[in-house]
Amino acid sequence: MLAKVHSATLSGLEAMEVTIEVDNFDGGQNSRFSIVGLPDNAVKESQERVQSALRVNGYKAPFRSVVVNLAPADVRKEGSGFDLPMAVGVMLSFEFLKIETPDRYMFVGELGLDGSILPVKGVLPISVKAREMGYEALFVPAENAREAAVVNKLKVYGVSHLNDIVGFFNGSLSIEPTHVNTREEFYSHLFCYDIDFDEVRGQENVKRAFEVAAAGGHNIILVGSPGCGKSMMAKRLPSILPPLTLSESLETTQIHSIAGKLKKEDSLISQRPFRAPHHTVSDVALVGGGNTFMPGEICLAHHGVLFLDELPEFSRSVLETLRQPLEDRIITISRSRYSLTLPCFFMLVASMNPCPCGYHHHPTRSCVCTPAQIQRYMNKISGPLMDRIDLQVEVESVPFEDMAKSPKGEPSSAIRERVLKARQIQVERYQDVKGVHCNAQMNTSLLQKYVQLDDAALNLLRTAMKKFTLSARAYDRILKVSRTIADLEGVEQVQSHHIAEAIGYRNLDRENWVE
């Protein structure tokens, strides 16, 4: 008997419907179980898992040949999620199970040898696809049920064992669809941060720089000696960023679902991601790809923060892969088997020591590095990459007396309120400009339109460019940052004190910085 069961496979960040056809026939003494339709090794091994699960649970098939076709046959099938639909198809083919209208259901899940159903990656985009294709219900592993149930207008049944499927369709077992109140769950965790800026003592100038960066979506690099608090403050940046919208959350959650980063109790990601890969990360781990596609760190940081600690310690090839994503907010991955364009709209936060020993410009400790050594250390970061970083901030160590006596700092909630007001100004300003949502995305024509300097501001900028020998690339960065500072102040005209503050965030561009 020929049976058809529906499932799905992942293609980049989206799911593709797959029809699993199962037929059995008399193969004589050469009876076999074969899988066709471009299966990878994990799919081919489904044969052993499916046969064991059926045998252990008493579904002993007659001595007949079984052929399983995964359609469309010209698309490569990967992963273990086809175990469950294959088992259901075999049971339908041998009439161990009867489903009146199998075309109404989609199945996905991995099988244990005892028939238990194990979690798989990418259930959320599969759930989105099931609703889009008009399926009535989706059967997934119980541990993936909350993740899949985020999608409304689709019944999601979480099952733990193959016998649960049999019991459900023969009427001996009642399974309630998993229900997730998406909006309630999303908004209840929106402002639940474990760390806060009020825990940072001193460093007011650095906290101000983070506020400016958050308000305009600017990339920022922190330069300071070891232990001065660079990483501590970087980790708190998500707490002052505008909260995720529901659509941003769904997009981010799908990426983390494909990467297998969601926990059993998770449904939607409510807070902006913060990704901090180690400096030994490879090119593929950062941008994504591999023989079987897997999102990289820059995609996992989508709508969030990518933090690169000890920036010069990253390999040059890894850092250069960031240039296109920082500019275009997307990454194109081309491999022999596939070509994908993925979203990666993130804020880059980097930190580094000022020199190899770490104590250049330190107020109390002497630096043992020569100017040539410092210059070689700084040259590990290419000009084009530094060109994409708007704020360059020196971080000084806080003396013990200041740490002990300093009052509690301003909470993240207060800073976030100012950031939100500035972002709202930008949303209204760029509402008719496609692809531009914040000041950091302004091009030259938008700069000329929205940053018009009076004589005092223009003279100050001209003097600073000459005095500090600032590069031409610093000019646009200063204008963008000054526009954000003016937005934080709530004024339309960029004034001289806005320019002055923006100039103060270009420390590394100064010609005499290494001296």
Side-chain angles (χ1 to χ4, degrees):
M1 174 182 173
L2 177 64
K4 291 186 179 181
V5 177
H6 299 280
S7 187
T9 188
L10 296 174
S11 176
L13 299 183
E14 297 182 351
M16 175 185 294
E17 184 185 23
V18 174
T19 301
I20 297 174
E21 300 174 317
V22 181
D23 188 23
N24 71 83
F25 55 92
D26 186 1
Q29 294 183 354
N30 296 321
S31 295
R32 65 190 186 279
F33 191 115
S34 57
I35 302 173
V36 297
L38 284 183
D40 72 348
N41 287 335
V43 180
K44 290 177 182 177
E45 292 170 354
S46 295
Q47 170 190 343
E48 306 297 336
R49 292 190 292 270
V50 169
Q51 288 180 321
S52 177
L54 294 176
R55 184 176 61 254
V56 168
N57 290 281
Y59 305 108
K60 189 175 180 180
F63 194 69
R64 292 172 67 84
S65 288
V66 176
V67 59
V68 178
N69 179 43
L70 309 177
D74 60 344
V75 176
R76 188 168 181 81
K77 319 302 186 306
E78 300 171 337
S80 57
F82 295 111
D83 290 6
L84 178 59
M86 277 190 200
V88 171
V90 171
M91 295 174 76
L92 287 172
S93 180
F94 284 101
E95 299 185 341
F96 295 142
L97 174 67
K98 290 186 178 181
I99 303 178
E100 291 185 4
T101 51
D103 287 345
R104 293 162 51 191
Y105 307 103
M106 184 178 280
F107 300 84
V108 63
E110 178 184 332
L111 281 180
L113 297 183
D114 62 349
S116 57
I117 300 176
L118 308 177
V120 294
K121 299 176 182 178
V123 165
L124 180 54
I126 290 174
S127 182
V128 172
K129 188 66 176 180
R131 182 186 65 179
E132 178 185 314
M133 298 298 294
Y135 285 95
E136 178 184 315
L138 171 66
F139 288 83
V140 299
E143 292 187 30
N144 295 126
R146 286 181 55 77
E147 176 187 341
V150 166
V151 178
N152 57 13
K153 298 180 182 178
L154 175 72
K155 294 180 181 178
V156 174
Y157 295 100
V159 287
S160 302
H161 197 277
L162 190 58
N163 287 330
D164 294 348
I165 300 285
V166 177
F168 177 82
F169 284 107
N170 66 21
S172 63
L173 178 66
S174 176
I175 303 176
E176 289 297 320
T178 302
H179 177 72
V180 173
N181 189 326
T182 306
R183 293 183 178 276
E184 180 182 332
E185 186 140 331
F186 172 70
Y187 289 112
S188 65
H189 296 91
L190 205 54
F191 298 107
C192 299
Y193 298 102
D194 296 328
I195 51 180
D196 197 284
F197 265 104
D198 65 2
E199 300 160 348
V200 180
R201 302 297 177 95
Q203 303 288 16
E204 297 303 323
N205 63 319
V206 185
K207 287 191 278 189
R208 169 64 177 177
F210 271 114
E211 180 179 340
V212 173
H218 302 289
N219 301 317
I220 181 172
I221 185 169
L222 308 175
V223 186
S225 58
C228 64
K230 303 186 294 292
S231 300
M232 179 185 68
M233 287 183 280
K235 291 175 182 177
R236 285 159 174 75
L237 177 58
S239 69
I240 64 172
L241 288 172
L244 283 170
T245 64
L246 197 54
S247 61
E248 287 176 339
S249 174
L250 185 60
E251 191 174 14
T252 303
T253 305
Q254 286 191 63
I255 296 173
H256 285 248
S257 171
I258 292 167
K261 301 294 184 182
L262 293 180
K263 298 177 182 178
K264 178 182 177 180
E265 62 275 9
D266 290 342
S267 52
L268 275 177
I269 292 176
S270 301
Q271 298 174 5
R272 294 192 179 273
F274 181 88
R275 304 296 300 180
H278 191 260
H279 61 75
T280 57
V281 68
S282 67
D283 304 26
V284 173
L286 189 69
V287 303
N291 290 331
T292 300
F293 168 74
M294 190 60 62
E297 291 291 338
I298 61 174
C299 289
L300 293 171
H302 185 48
H303 292 312
V305 176
L306 178 67
F307 177 49
L308 302 183
D309 197 10
E310 302 298 341
L311 188 66
E313 302 303 324
F314 286 79
S315 74
R316 185 68 173 254
S317 62
V318 168
L319 292 181
E320 292 307 297
T321 60
L322 290 171
R323 288 165 58 176
Q324 183 216 355
L326 286 172
E327 191 73 24
D328 301 334
R329 314 292 180 172
I330 57 173
I331 176 71
T332 300
I333 302 173
S334 296
R335 299 290 184 267
S336 59
R337 293 181 179 176
Y338 55 83
S339 180
L340 299 170
T341 299
L342 311 171
C344 53
F345 184 16
F346 60 89
M347 279 184 63
L348 174 65
V349 180
S351 72
M352 60 181 290
N353 293 333
C355 65
C357 80
Y359 296 104
H360 185 55
H361 290 173
H362 195 278
T364 59
R365 298 187 63 168
S366 299
C367 174
V368 298
C369 306
T370 65
Q373 288 175 321
I374 298 174
Q375 191 63 59
R376 279 197 301 271
Y377 184 74
M378 298 299 297
N379 286 344
K380 290 183 178 180
I381 308 168
S382 69
L385 178 60
M386 192 63 77
D387 185 29
R388 289 160 172 79
I389 300 178
D390 296 340
L391 285 82
Q392 306 163 352
V393 184
E394 282 195 79
V395 185
E396 297 182 358
S397 298
V398 180
F400 172 78
E401 291 76 12
D402 292 346
M403 284 192 293
K405 296 178 182 179
S406 294
K408 202 171 185 180
E410 186 178 26
S412 294
S413 57
I415 302 174
R416 188 170 59 245
E417 284 298 319
R418 297 194 293 270
V419 168
L420 284 170
K421 290 179 180 178
R423 281 290 184 106
Q424 185 57 40
I425 292 172
Q426 294 165 53
V427 168
E428 295 173 1
R429 176 184 299 140
Y430 307 123
Q431 60 183 343
D432 297 327
V433 184
K434 185 178 180 180
V436 178
H437 309 285
C438 56
N439 290 332
Q441 297 174 286
M442 280 194 292
N443 55 30
T444 303
S445 61
L446 291 175
L447 275 174
Q448 294 173 349
K449 181 177 181 180
Y450 293 114
V451 187
Q452 298 178 354
L453 304 180
D454 57 23
D455 291 341
L458 195 59
N459 289 333
L460 177 61
L461 181 55
R462 183 184 298 110
T463 302
M465 294 286 291
K466 292 180 179 179
K467 180 179 179 180
F468 298 120
T469 322
L470 296 178
S471 63
R473 67 175 180 249
Y475 178 78
D476 282 357
R477 305 297 168 188
I478 290 171
L479 293 183
K480 289 181 181 181
V481 173
S482 64
R483 176 68 271 169
T484 299
I485 296 169
D487 289 341
L488 280 167
E489 199 174 296
V491 297
E492 183 60 32
Q493 178 69 38
V494 175
Q495 300 168 10
S496 56
H497 64 281
H498 302 142
I499 292 289
E501 184 177 351
I503 292 169
Y505 296 133
R506 300 303 301 180
N507 293 338
L508 300 185
D509 278 341
R510 300 178 185 180
E511 195 174 63
N512 63 348
W513 189 86
V514 299
E515 299 174 1

